[in-house]
Amino acid sequence: MEIVIAIVIGILVTIGTYLLLSRQLLRIVFGSSLISHAVNLLIITSGGLKKGNAPLLGEGKIGFTDALPQALILTAIVINFAVTAFVLVLSYRSFKANGTDDMEKLRGNEHE
Amino acid sequence: MNNLLIMPVIIPLIVGMVLIIFHKNIVLQRALSLFALFLSGFIAFVMMNQVREKGIQTLQLGGWEAPFGISFVGDMFSVLLVLTTCIVSSCCLIFAFRSIGEKNEKLYFYPLFLFLIVGVNGSFLTGDLFNLYVFFEVFLLASYVLITLGGGKKQLRESLKYVFINIVSSAFFLIGVAYLYSITGTLNLAHLSFRIAEAGQDGLITTIALLFLIVFSLKAGLLLFFWLPGSYSVPPTAIAAIFAALLTKVGIYSIFRMFTLVFYHEPQITHLMIGILAAVTMLLGAAGATGYMDVRKILTYNVVISVGFIVAGLVTMTEAGITGSIYYLIHDMIIKALVFLIGGTIILITGTSDLREMSGLIRRHPQLGWIFFIGTLSMVGIPPLSGFLGKVFITQGTFETGYYWLGGIGLLASIFILLSMIKLFMNAFWGETILSEDEEKGSIRGLLFPIALLLVVSLALGIGAEGIQAYIAQATEQLLNPSLYIEAVLK
């Protein structure tokens, strides 16, 4: 199972990197979002994808799943959500102000 | 257990949230935010003396014992940085009262400023790797908004690059966290250090160490500083000053923490790598600082040089080197805020950032000119100013351990700092006075006070070095003996 997820993560990162390197702002936003999703998958895989019982004491069972990575990605997803929302607004404002969404034209020069 | 540790994080957070409600009431916002910073600074001062007497202080949040809960750890190094953060940010805030403009003040400037301080203080005090990531995101999000405050064309353009670079580096941070967790099974820094010392730092862990080095280098501007000159020159002066003083320093702090506490077993790979990065950073920064004729560019490249120089002390891992780095780090936080505030004031007076179009400011603004001159001497390291001791100790450390090339490049970089800053001083302050009183673009009324305050702090740090020597020596001892940190957290 871990290997399948690892391949999925690889594909997500590949697509994300391709999108990040493109010129259009919206594609870059999607690219960064995809990479963040890939990282979240990586975190959940890092704890091992075993089928186990809920990590609750008093149930008297053994073979708990690791609860920590789930807590970690919960936090990471929330942060990623906030950042993506902010970046979308920022891109829109930048498009309005600068009149272009082409990163080549947003390079900026020395004297202005 | 020491509940004071959480205060420098919680006070600005609560005040910041309250101020969102009262965003129209400027007087209240100013008073409350300054009060929050003073109170945090006072608590940091109390903590500093507690650490001095009783050793490293810890707080296990929610009563969950380490390594299961999130620990806050105040060793001397972090407490000193928190105290400096509060002092520097108070000065920048006072500067902002007069310079940021009423429109921005109503656009949530003060809450955002306080959230930035929350993130920075939290990063210094946390003892948990994932919590460090969270605090990084807190101050990054605040900085994303602050950098665009005002919404100028240039600001929006540069902030896009800043945001995307930081998103990618945050992703790398999380990848590092995931790998480290899958190998060691813990994220508490003290526990990590303990487990890695027990199992040995093998090739995999060293690779992860280098991954973390990339992440923190991006934040600190160590070699990967390509984003820094652009994004630090667009925001309003008070914000640029607080960025230059604090944000890169959090990256430097993280490099110090990780490579003295956790990844210190393979210095011939990791620390040599850091040394090479530091040397290249200093050389490139020197080239940038001397090459440009633009006030903001010169100052931002000086930030880059000092990053390389501070980290050079870490490479040695000796008492002298680390002592020097701590001295220089504190000095640099104060002095970078100082010169950025002065640079912004110059731009305010002349209305341009091009050195060729300004001249002779010293006739009308003698105080500003001489404060800048003293700041320059301090950056170069003329005794008895505050930059001197740091330079001496870092150079001594590099020479003791045989890194002659690193120490030599550090000294060479000092000459370029002098060259670039004197170029700025000569062009802006000397020469014929071309602006009469009416032609000046802005008034500097009320702006000199925070600048003078920073100068006094910087002078006190240099002349009163004897007095804080004991504190810095303790910080060095705690950084060089990870067992002290581990015992304090896991006892």
Side-chain angles (χ1 to χ4, degrees):
Chain A
M1 192 62 188
E2 275 87 354
I3 292 180
V4 179
I5 295 289
I7 294 169
V8 171
I9 295 169
I11 293 170
L12 280 177
V13 172
T14 316
I15 300 172
T17 313
Y18 174 75
L19 287 175
L20 260 188
L21 294 176
S22 61
R23 284 162 56 170
Q24 254 189 334
L25 258 179
L26 198 58
R27 282 166 170 247
I28 299 177
V29 178
F30 286 146
S32 65
S33 194
L34 271 184
I35 287 186
S36 306
H37 290 319
V39 172
N40 290 340
L41 276 179
L42 181 71
I43 295 175
I44 199 93
T45 320
S46 73
L49 294 169
K50 51 181 178 280
K51 287 181 192 162
N53 295 309
L56 295 172
L57 286 179
E59 297 268 306
K61 293 171 185 164
I62 46 167
F64 299 135
T65 44
D66 191 351
L68 193 68
Q70 307 187 4
L72 298 186
I73 70 160
L74 196 63
T75 318
I77 287 172
V78 173
I79 292 174
N80 177 28
F81 170 70
V83 172
T84 309
F86 176 77
V87 172
L88 281 170
V89 175
L90 182 67
S91 310
Y92 181 67
R93 279 292 302 275
S94 169
F95 171 69
K96 281 270 176 187
N98 288 303
T100 176
D101 68 338
D102 187 345
M103 282 312 262
E104 284 286 312
K105 290 178 187 149
L106 289 173
R107 205 176 259 273
N109 51 25
E110 282 305 310
H111 307 289
E112 48 193 336
Chain B
M1 287 294 226
N2 184 344
N3 281 323
L4 278 186
L5 274 177
I6 193 81
M7 288 300 164
V9 178
I10 266 195
I11 294 170
L13 182 67
I14 292 178
V15 174
M17 291 196 300
V18 169
L19 288 185
I20 290 180
I21 306 171
F22 300 108
H23 71 106
K24 292 254 166 63
N25 188 340
I26 292 180
V27 178
L28 182 75
Q29 291 208 71
R30 287 181 177 177
L32 268 185
S33 42
L34 199 58
F35 171 73
L37 291 179
F38 277 158
L39 194 59
S40 315
F42 175 72
I43 286 169
F45 184 76
V46 173
M47 276 193 320
M48 183 172 84
N49 287 309
Q50 282 182 351
V51 176
R52 175 94 190 94
E53 279 161 25
K54 296 183 228 153
I56 298 176
Q57 301 291 308
T58 58
L59 172 66
Q60 314 292 353
L61 293 183
W64 290 81
E65 287 300 317
F68 304 108
I70 292 173
S71 325
F72 263 51
V73 187
D75 67 345
M76 190 50 99
F77 184 45
S78 23
V79 173
L80 279 174
L81 291 180
V82 171
L83 180 61
T84 320
T85 301
C86 293
I87 295 173
V88 170
S89 52
S90 310
C91 292
C92 290
L93 193 72
I94 297 173
F95 189 91
F97 289 168
R98 288 259 170 217
S99 66
I100 200 90
E102 198 179 315
K103 189 177 142 240
N104 288 339
E105 280 182 293
K106 286 186 179 163
L107 275 174
Y108 308 102
F109 167 72
Y110 294 106
L112 288 166
F113 192 91
L114 289 174
F115 293 151
L116 185 84
I117 304 301
V118 171
V120 172
N121 281 347
S123 313
F124 288 150
L125 287 172
T126 186
D128 185 278
L129 193 57
F130 192 77
N131 201 227
L132 182 68
Y133 163 77
V134 173
F135 278 120
F136 262 75
E137 289 302 314
V138 169
F139 79 73
L140 280 175
L141 263 173
S143 75
Y144 296 159
V145 187
L146 281 174
I147 213 171
T148 52
L149 203 68
K153 266 186 179 182
K154 243 174 114 178
Q155 278 176 300
L156 288 167
R157 193 187 69 206
E158 292 301 328
S159 67
L160 274 176
K161 302 166 194 169
Y162 177 74
V163 173
F164 285 128
I165 282 164
N166 277 305
I167 290 178
V168 173
S169 91
S170 295
F172 273 109
F173 196 156
L174 279 179
I175 292 173
V177 167
Y179 283 159
L180 206 53
Y181 181 73
S182 65
I183 291 179
T184 61
T186 180
L187 288 174
N188 184 300
L189 288 179
H191 203 212
L192 269 176
S193 171
F194 176 71
R195 287 217 170 147
I196 289 178
E198 207 175 38
Q201 186 177 342
D202 57 9
L204 267 178
I205 295 183
T206 306
T207 315
I208 296 172
L210 292 176
L211 184 65
F212 275 108
L213 182 61
I214 295 173
V215 173
F216 295 137
S217 299
L218 255 171
K219 312 275 184 198
L222 182 68
L223 186 66
L224 306 170
F225 61 80
F226 49 87
W227 54 273
L228 196 148
S231 39
Y232 279 23
S233 17
V234 289
T237 305
I239 297 172
I242 202 79
F243 280 16
L246 298 183
L247 294 198
T248 53
K249 305 304 183 289
V250 183
I252 297 176
Y253 164 82
S254 311
I255 293 178
F256 268 77
R257 182 59 79 211
M258 293 309 278
F259 286 89
T260 57
L261 179 64
V262 182
F263 304 120
Y264 60 93
H265 302 284
E266 295 278 352
Q268 70 276 20
I269 302 172
T270 50
H271 288 61
L272 182 66
M273 193 69 174
I274 297 174
I276 295 168
L277 292 180
V280 179
T281 310
M282 283 191 274
L283 290 175
L284 291 177
T290 40
Y292 279 103
M293 283 299 271
D294 181 289
V295 175
R296 294 194 164 208
K297 284 271 160 55
I298 293 175
L299 294 180
T300 44
Y301 276 102
N302 269 297
V303 173
V304 173
I305 300 177
S306 65
V307 170
F309 195 71
I310 295 166
V311 173
L314 171 67
V315 180
T316 65
M317 284 299 265
T318 58
E319 210 183 315
I322 300 279
T323 308
S325 289
I326 298 172
Y327 253 119
Y328 204 81
L329 185 56
I330 295 172
H331 147 80
D332 199 62
M333 285 166 87
I334 298 167
I335 213 78
K336 281 287 139 47
L338 177 72
V339 294
F340 262 75
L341 290 185
I342 297 181
T345 313
I346 293 175
I347 295 171
L348 182 76
I349 296 170
T350 58
T352 171
S353 65
D354 192 342
L355 275 182
R356 281 163 292 214
E357 289 168 25
M358 55 180 78
S359 159
L361 290 177
I362 200 139
R363 195 177 305 269
R364 298 252 317 115
H365 306 284
Q367 300 96 333
L368 195 66
W370 292 118
I371 293 176
F372 183 79
F373 188 68
I374 297 172
T376 303
L377 293 186
S378 186
M379 276 168 79
V380 179
I382 308 283
L385 299 167
S386 55
F388 170 66
L389 273 172
K391 291 229 156 147
V392 169
F393 281 127
I394 290 177
T395 313
Q396 187 192 338
T398 50
F399 282 12
E400 267 173 9
T401 42
Y403 288 108
Y404 294 105
W405 48 276
L406 192 56
I409 291 174
L411 293 178
L412 189 72
S414 294
I415 298 177
F416 282 101
I417 295 178
L418 180 68
L419 188 65
S420 67
M421 294 303 276
I422 287 295
K423 178 177 75 181
L424 210 165
F425 181 73
M426 300 266 282
N427 277 293
F429 288 103
W430 282 11
E432 221 172 302
T433 307
I434 49 173
L435 285 174
S436 72
E437 193 173 352
D438 319 325
E439 285 171 336
E440 288 183 359
K441 306 287 186 291
S443 148
I444 66 161
R445 208 166 57 85
L447 296 185
L448 269 180
F449 173 67
I451 294 177
L453 208 61
L454 277 171
L455 182 77
V456 170
V457 177
S458 165
L459 285 178
L461 183 67
I463 296 167
E466 195 80 33
I468 55 166
Q469 167 60 32
Y471 296 97
I472 304 232
Q474 196 186 7
T476 312
E477 191 202 340
Q478 287 168 352
L479 277 184
L480 285 175
N481 296 309
S483 56
L484 290 175
Y485 191 100
I486 297 172
E487 269 166 34
V489 180
L490 296 180
K491 65 174 177 261

